[in-house]
Amino acid sequence: MIRPHDLALFPLPQIRRATPADIAAIVAIEKESFIDPWEQAVFLEALTYYPTTYFVAECDGAVVGFVVGGLEDTGENIYGHLCNLGVSPRYRRRGIAKLLVNRVEHQFALELATGVQLEVRVSNTTAQRFYRRMRYREVFGIEHYYANGEDAIVMMKWFRF
């Protein structure tokens, strides 16, 4: 386990907007991280739709994490949707996911979003704890949301300006 004082041993990643050249690395991280990974075409399509809210974390020239966000306009509010987040297993527990989420939240706020929504598997208690630490709150559940029939918890974070 990495202790907080050990983090000084690791270089801080660069967070930057994703490009088409990053997709292969993103897909590799996705396949290492999830039981029903997105396909390459979905990542490319998301980059087309959401170029300003799609980021990667890079360490020593390699992509080690990503976040895909999108903006949704309900007619009454604009909110961010945190669609996908992944960090290579070798780089976890170094604060990279937090940096990625902070960056996409910042971009959502710049684009006038009032908050952020995400879905997380009921079984993914580690992710739920992470998002709670990031000030997300459970708002409701969706039955059979995932391809394998698992339920999702919808979590939200509202921005306060």
Coordinates of all heavy atoms in Angstrom, one line a residue, residues 99-135:
L99 N -7.3 14.0 -9.5 CA -6.8 15.0 -10.4 C -7.7 15.1 -11.7 O -8.1 16.2 -12.2 CB -5.4 14.9 -10.8 CG -4.3 15.1 -9.7 CD1 -2.9 14.6 -10.2 CD2 -4.3 16.5 -9.3
L100 N -8.0 13.9 -12.3 CA -8.8 13.9 -13.5 C -10.2 14.4 -13.2 O -10.8 15.2 -14.0 CB -8.9 12.4 -14.0 CG -7.6 12.0 -14.7 CD1 -7.6 10.4 -14.8 CD2 -7.5 12.6 -16.1
V101 N -10.8 13.9 -12.1 CA -12.2 14.4 -11.8 C -12.2 15.9 -11.5 O -13.1 16.6 -12.0 CB -12.8 13.6 -10.6 CG1 -14.1 14.2 -10.1 CG2 -13.0 12.1 -11.0
N102 N -11.2 16.4 -10.8 CA -11.1 17.8 -10.5 C -11.0 18.6 -11.8 O -11.7 19.7 -12.0 CB -9.9 18.2 -9.6 CG -10.2 17.8 -8.2 OD1 -11.3 17.7 -7.7 ND2 -9.1 17.7 -7.4
R103 N -10.2 18.1 -12.8 CA -10.1 18.8 -14.0 C -11.4 18.8 -14.8 O -11.7 19.9 -15.4 CB -8.9 18.2 -14.9 CG -8.7 18.8 -16.2 CD -8.3 20.3 -16.0 NE -8.2 21.0 -17.3 CZ -9.1 21.7 -17.9 NH1 -10.3 21.9 -17.3 NH2 -8.9 22.4 -19.0
V104 N -12.1 17.7 -14.9 CA -13.3 17.7 -15.7 C -14.4 18.5 -15.0 O -15.1 19.2 -15.7 CB -13.8 16.3 -16.1 CG1 -14.4 15.6 -14.9 CG2 -14.7 16.3 -17.3
E105 N -14.4 18.5 -13.7 CA -15.4 19.4 -13.0 C -15.1 20.8 -13.2 O -16.0 21.6 -13.4 CB -15.3 19.1 -11.4 CG -15.9 17.8 -11.0 CD -15.7 17.5 -9.5 OE1 -14.9 18.3 -8.8 OE2 -16.3 16.6 -9.0
H106 N -13.8 21.2 -13.2 CA -13.5 22.6 -13.5 C -14.0 23.0 -14.9 O -14.5 24.1 -15.1 CB -11.9 22.7 -13.4 CG -11.4 24.1 -13.7 ND1 -11.5 25.1 -12.8 CD2 -10.9 24.6 -14.9 CE1 -11.0 26.2 -13.4 NE2 -10.6 25.9 -14.6
Q107 N -13.8 22.1 -15.9 CA -14.2 22.4 -17.3 C -15.7 22.5 -17.3 O -16.3 23.4 -18.0 CB -13.7 21.3 -18.2 CG -14.0 21.7 -19.7 CD -13.2 23.0 -20.1 OE1 -12.1 23.2 -19.7 NE2 -13.8 23.8 -20.9
F108 N -16.4 21.6 -16.6 CA -17.9 21.7 -16.5 C -18.3 23.0 -16.0 O -19.2 23.7 -16.6 CB -18.5 20.6 -15.6 CG -18.4 19.2 -16.2 CD1 -18.3 18.1 -15.3 CD2 -18.5 18.9 -17.5 CE1 -18.3 16.8 -15.8 CE2 -18.5 17.6 -18.0 CZ -18.4 16.6 -17.1
A109 N -17.7 23.5 -14.9 CA -18.0 24.8 -14.3 C -17.8 25.9 -15.3 O -18.6 26.8 -15.4 CB -17.3 25.0 -13.0
L110 N -16.6 25.9 -16.0 CA -16.3 26.9 -17.0 C -17.4 26.9 -18.1 O -17.7 28.0 -18.7 CB -15.0 26.6 -17.7 CG -13.8 26.9 -16.8 CD1 -12.5 26.5 -17.5 CD2 -13.7 28.4 -16.4
E111 N -18.0 25.8 -18.4 CA -19.0 25.7 -19.4 C -20.4 25.8 -18.9 O -21.4 25.4 -19.5 CB -18.9 24.4 -20.2 CG -17.5 24.4 -21.0 CD -17.3 23.3 -22.0 OE1 -18.3 22.9 -22.7 OE2 -16.2 22.9 -22.2
L112 N -20.5 26.4 -17.6 CA -21.7 26.8 -17.0 C -22.6 25.7 -16.4 O -23.8 25.9 -16.2 CB -22.5 27.8 -17.9 CG -21.8 29.0 -18.4 CD1 -22.7 29.8 -19.3 CD2 -21.2 29.8 -17.3
A113 N -22.0 24.6 -16.2 CA -22.8 23.5 -15.5 C -23.0 23.8 -14.1 O -22.2 24.5 -13.4 CB -22.0 22.2 -15.6
T114 N -24.2 23.4 -13.6 CA -24.5 23.6 -12.2 C -24.2 22.5 -11.3 O -24.3 22.6 -10.0 CB -26.0 23.9 -12.0 OG1 -26.8 22.8 -12.5 CG2 -26.4 25.2 -12.8
G115 N -23.8 21.3 -11.9 CA -23.4 20.2 -11.1 C -23.0 19.1 -12.0 O -22.9 19.2 -13.2
V116 N -22.7 17.9 -11.4 CA -22.2 16.7 -12.2 C -23.0 15.5 -11.7 O -23.2 15.3 -10.5 CB -20.7 16.5 -11.9 CG1 -20.2 15.3 -12.7 CG2 -19.9 17.7 -12.1
Q117 N -23.3 14.7 -12.7 CA -24.0 13.4 -12.4 C -23.1 12.2 -12.9 O -22.3 12.4 -13.8 CB -25.3 13.3 -13.2 CG -25.9 11.9 -13.1 CD -27.1 11.8 -14.1 OE1 -27.9 12.7 -14.2 NE2 -27.2 10.7 -14.8
L118 N -23.2 11.1 -12.2 CA -22.5 9.9 -12.6 C -23.3 8.7 -12.2 O -24.1 8.8 -11.3 CB -21.1 9.8 -12.1 CG -20.9 9.8 -10.6 CD1 -21.0 8.4 -10.0 CD2 -19.6 10.5 -10.2
E119 N -23.0 7.6 -12.8 CA -23.6 6.3 -12.4 C -22.4 5.4 -12.0 O -21.3 5.4 -12.6 CB -24.3 5.6 -13.6 CG -25.5 6.4 -14.1 CD -25.1 7.5 -15.1 OE1 -24.0 7.3 -15.8 OE2 -25.8 8.4 -15.3
V120 N -22.7 4.6 -11.0 CA -21.7 3.6 -10.5 C -22.4 2.3 -10.1 O -23.5 2.3 -9.6 CB -20.9 4.2 -9.2 CG1 -21.9 4.6 -8.1 CG2 -19.8 3.4 -8.8
R121 N -21.7 1.2 -10.3 CA -22.3 -0.1 -10.0 C -22.6 -0.2 -8.5 O -21.8 0.3 -7.7 CB -21.3 -1.2 -10.4 CG -21.2 -1.4 -11.9 CD -20.1 -2.5 -12.1 NE -20.1 -2.8 -13.6 CZ -20.9 -3.5 -14.2 NH1 -21.8 -4.2 -13.6 NH2 -20.8 -3.6 -15.5
V122 N -23.7 -0.8 -8.2 CA -24.0 -1.1 -6.8 C -22.9 -1.9 -6.1 O -22.6 -1.6 -4.9 CB -25.4 -1.8 -6.7 CG1 -25.6 -2.4 -5.3 CG2 -26.5 -0.9 -7.1
S123 N -22.2 -2.8 -6.8 CA -21.2 -3.6 -6.3 C -19.8 -2.9 -6.1 O -18.9 -3.4 -5.4 CB -21.0 -4.9 -7.1 OG -20.5 -4.5 -8.4
N124 N -19.7 -1.7 -6.8 CA -18.4 -1.0 -6.8 C -18.3 -0.1 -5.6 O -18.3 1.1 -5.7 CB -18.2 -0.3 -8.1 CG -16.8 0.1 -8.3 OD1 -16.0 0.1 -7.3 ND2 -16.4 0.5 -9.5
T125 N -18.2 -0.7 -4.4 CA -18.1 0.1 -3.2 C -16.9 1.0 -3.1 O -16.9 2.1 -2.5 CB -18.3 -0.7 -2.0 OG1 -17.3 -1.7 -2.0 CG2 -19.7 -1.4 -1.9
T126 N -15.8 0.5 -3.7 CA -14.6 1.3 -3.7 C -14.8 2.7 -4.5 O -14.4 3.7 -4.0 CB -13.4 0.6 -4.4 OG1 -13.2 -0.6 -3.6 CG2 -12.1 1.4 -4.4
A127 N -15.4 2.6 -5.6 CA -15.7 3.8 -6.4 C -16.7 4.7 -5.6 O -16.6 5.9 -5.6 CB -16.3 3.5 -7.8
Q128 N -17.7 4.1 -5.0 CA -18.7 4.9 -4.3 C -18.0 5.7 -3.1 O -18.3 6.8 -2.9 CB -19.7 3.9 -3.7 CG -20.7 3.3 -4.7 CD -21.5 2.2 -4.2 OE1 -21.9 2.3 -3.0 NE2 -21.7 1.2 -4.9
R129 N -17.1 5.0 -2.4 CA -16.3 5.7 -1.4 C -15.5 6.9 -1.9 O -15.4 8.0 -1.4 CB -15.4 4.8 -0.6 CG -16.1 3.9 0.4 CD -15.2 3.2 1.4 NE -14.3 2.3 0.7 CZ -14.5 1.1 0.3 NH1 -15.7 0.5 0.6 NH2 -13.6 0.3 -0.3
F130 N -14.8 6.6 -3.1 CA -14.1 7.6 -3.7 C -14.9 8.9 -4.1 O -14.6 10.0 -3.8 CB -13.4 7.1 -5.0 CG -12.8 8.1 -5.9 CD1 -11.6 8.7 -5.6 CD2 -13.5 8.5 -7.1 CE1 -11.1 9.7 -6.4 CE2 -13.0 9.5 -7.9 CZ -11.8 10.1 -7.6
Y131 N -16.1 8.6 -4.7 CA -16.9 9.7 -5.1 C -17.5 10.4 -3.9 O -17.7 11.7 -3.9 CB -18.1 9.2 -6.0 CG -17.5 8.9 -7.4 CD1 -17.7 7.6 -7.9 CD2 -16.8 9.8 -8.2 CE1 -17.2 7.2 -9.2 CE2 -16.3 9.4 -9.4 CZ -16.5 8.2 -9.9 OH -16.0 7.8 -11.1
R132 N -17.8 9.7 -2.8 CA -18.3 10.4 -1.6 C -17.2 11.3 -1.0 O -17.5 12.4 -0.6 CB -18.7 9.4 -0.5 CG -20.1 8.8 -0.8 CD -20.5 7.9 0.4 NE -21.5 7.0 0.0 CZ -21.3 5.7 -0.3 NH1 -20.1 5.2 0.0 NH2 -22.2 4.9 -0.7
R133 N -16.0 10.9 -1.1 CA -14.9 11.7 -0.6 C -14.8 13.0 -1.5 O -14.3 14.0 -1.1 CB -13.5 11.0 -0.6 CG -13.4 10.1 0.6 CD -12.0 9.5 0.7 NE -11.4 9.0 -0.5 CZ -11.5 7.7 -0.9 NH1 -12.1 6.8 -0.2 NH2 -10.9 7.3 -2.0
M134 N -15.2 12.9 -2.8 CA -15.2 14.0 -3.7 C -16.5 14.8 -3.6 O -16.7 15.7 -4.5 CB -15.0 13.5 -5.2 CG -13.7 12.7 -5.4 SD -12.2 13.7 -5.5 CE -12.6 14.8 -6.9
R135 N -17.3 14.6 -2.6 CA -18.5 15.3 -2.3 C -19.7 15.0 -3.2 O -20.6 15.8 -3.3 CB -18.3 16.8 -2.2 CG -17.3 17.2 -1.1 CD -17.1 18.7 -0.9 NE -17.7 19.6 -1.9 CZ -17.0 20.3 -2.7 NH1 -15.7 20.3 -2.7 NH2 -17.6 21.1 -3.6

